[in-house]
Amino acid sequence: MTEVVWSAGFRAAIAALVLAFAAPSVAAQEPADGVPSAGPDRPVSDTVALPLQQYADPQGRFGFVVPSQWGRSSSENVDEVLFQNERGDSVRITIAPLTVAPDAFANAYVDTYMKVLSQSLTNVRFVGQRAVDIGRRKATDYVFSATYNETPVTCRQVVVIGTTSVLYITFAAFGQLRTQSEQLFQSSLLTFWITPSFGGPVSVGTADPNAPAYTIAIPEGWTDQGETDGNSHMFRPPSARPSSAYISTRVTKIAPDSKLTTIDEVFVAAYAESLRRQFPENAFEIRQTRKIFVAGAPAVRYDYGYVSNYGVRRAYMLLAIKNGYLIGVVCDSVEQAWPVYEKSFEGLVTTFKFR
């Protein structure tokens, strides 16, 4: 794998990461007054008992707990967030496109990243790597050591490879207190969650050649298990049971004589009543109705709950109109499991795109 091949994707993703290794001041490399140093007579865990704060990506792709004394730095890139302490130690989360095959990416990663680190640091050395689970996703934790103006540096980058995207969790710490920062970083990794839909959207095809094609972010591992007519799909987890969660989609051409061709108040009321009629009396409740836009198209979303043979369930139905077609998406699970799937289900709305 040559350096030129990597420049469009991998280089673009990590070029900014070098900024996270900005050198701390000389004074910051020594323990501050009243802050005990880690050492053989004092467990490291005693030195890292700091309050924590929760960060959640605005797009719902990931989240984690960071030490409260690590402040967030401003960034104009929605695919990147940076936290630093007063010494300059940092944790940076970056999401970037995957532009090569995953195997090629993994094989070239160490050599490529060492070249990047060498642009700002000296004595760069690859310490090792290990397989880890981050937010129920397989990942690789790479460890490097280096020097900046005679100051020792510890660098780690945890890499999660998706279908079309890569998530980088980059850590850098300087000086005598870098072990303490690394312990805090390790604790944060234990809290890291990643939406199951991370990695790449699924293109939903239709049998009607004139129907608008679109993509949605189906949770990883879910497959189309429904008997389809070419315009309908049902995605469910592997080894799904009748009570398992599901995502169903359908595209229907609106009849020429239909009065429901735009998502106005009449449309919203008519489809709310149609949805209500699908369930027994007193076994259904619409909790919220919202008119929104998805991928620039007018849409309406119904959030509802109902009682079924498999217990109390929760769902939402999204209806959008595009080029004379009605596109419907339903996300459904048992009430108790809704928090498990909620981020993935919400991701379908925010990542919905017409092709």
Side-chain angles (χ1 to χ4, degrees):
M1 179 63 60
T2 65
E3 189 172 339
V4 174
V5 173
W6 285 96
S7 59
F10 186 81
R11 288 273 177 151
I14 61 181
L17 297 179
V18 178
L19 297 178
F21 304 145
S25 64
V26 174
Q29 295 170 17
E30 299 298 330
D33 292 342
V35 179
S37 298
D41 298 325
R42 183 174 182 83
V44 171
S45 58
D46 287 353
T47 70
V48 295
L50 299 176
L52 302 175
Q53 59 178 328
Q54 177 72 48
Y55 173 80
D57 172 48
Q59 298 186 44
R61 296 170 294 181
F62 64 89
F64 68 110
V65 173
V66 296
S68 63
Q69 295 185 11
W70 289 47
R72 181 180 174 185
S73 298
S74 61
S75 174
E76 297 180 356
N77 187 350
V78 296
D79 293 327
E80 185 173 87
V81 63
L82 171 67
F83 291 89
Q84 289 183 304
N85 64 13
E86 61 182 5
R87 296 189 304 272
D89 302 343
S90 63
V91 174
R92 183 188 296 262
I93 316 301
T94 308
I95 293 179
L98 176 65
T99 59
V100 298
D103 288 345
F105 178 96
N107 291 337
Y109 170 83
V110 172
D111 289 340
T112 304
Y113 195 57
M114 288 184 68
K115 292 178 182 178
V116 172
L117 294 179
S118 297
Q119 295 174 13
S120 298
L121 307 173
T122 58
N123 302 321
V124 177
R125 186 170 66 90
F126 173 54
V127 177
Q129 67 186 68
R130 64 187 181 114
V132 294
D133 287 327
I134 301 295
R136 298 183 179 179
R137 296 292 299 269
K138 299 298 181 183
T140 305
D141 184 4
Y142 299 93
V143 183
F144 303 84
S145 66
T147 304
Y148 187 92
N149 291 342
E150 300 183 357
T151 299
V153 184
T154 296
C155 306
R156 289 173 60 178
Q157 192 168 71
V158 179
V159 180
V160 183
I161 303 176
T163 307
T164 60
S165 301
V166 182
L167 186 146
Y168 304 91
I169 309 172
T170 305
F171 167 79
F174 303 82
Q176 297 179 6
L177 299 181
R178 67 189 187 283
T179 300
Q180 297 178 19
S181 293
E182 190 171 15
Q183 290 293 323
L184 291 172
F185 172 69
Q186 186 65 39
S187 297
S188 290
L189 286 181
L190 298 176
T191 69
F192 211 97
W193 59 262
I194 302 173
T195 179
S197 59
F198 169 76
V202 171
S203 178
V204 179
T206 59
D208 186 340
N210 298 316
Y214 58 94
T215 60
I216 53 176
I218 298 297
E220 184 177 358
W222 288 34
T223 57
D224 192 351
Q225 298 182 0
E227 294 184 3
T228 177
D229 58 1
N231 293 318
S232 302
H233 301 269
M234 178 175 283
F235 300 91
R236 309 193 80 173
S239 305
R241 297 174 295 177
S243 60
S244 295
Y246 66 84
I247 297 168
S248 65
T249 69
R250 180 166 181 81
V251 175
T252 306
K253 185 172 178 58
I254 299 175
D257 59 347
S258 175
K259 298 180 180 180
L260 304 176
T261 58
T262 60
I263 297 183
D264 53 18
E265 296 302 326
V266 174
F267 180 101
V268 172
Y271 273 93
E273 180 58 29
S274 175
L275 180 61
R276 190 184 306 276
R277 288 198 301 267
Q278 297 179 30
F279 301 92
E281 189 175 358
N282 300 322
F284 172 82
E285 175 189 23
I286 291 183
R287 300 179 179 179
Q288 189 176 38
T289 302
R290 288 175 280 173
K291 287 198 293 183
I292 60 175
F293 286 86
V294 291
V300 59
R301 170 172 165 167
Y302 304 94
D303 288 79
Y304 57 95
Y306 65 98
V307 180
S308 73
N309 294 334
Y310 303 110
V312 179
R313 299 185 70 89
R314 183 172 172 180
Y316 77 71
M317 181 172 71
L318 181 71
L319 298 175
I321 291 179
K322 180 80 169 178
N323 299 337
Y325 284 82
L326 180 67
I327 300 95
V329 177
V330 174
C331 296
D332 189 301
S333 82
V334 294
E335 178 80 31
Q336 301 94 316
W338 186 264
V340 176
Y341 300 108
E342 186 171 11
K343 289 184 175 64
S344 295
F345 288 166
E346 294 299 328
L348 265 69
V349 179
T350 57
T351 63
F352 188 104
K353 287 183 172 56
F354 289 105
R355 293 195 290 121

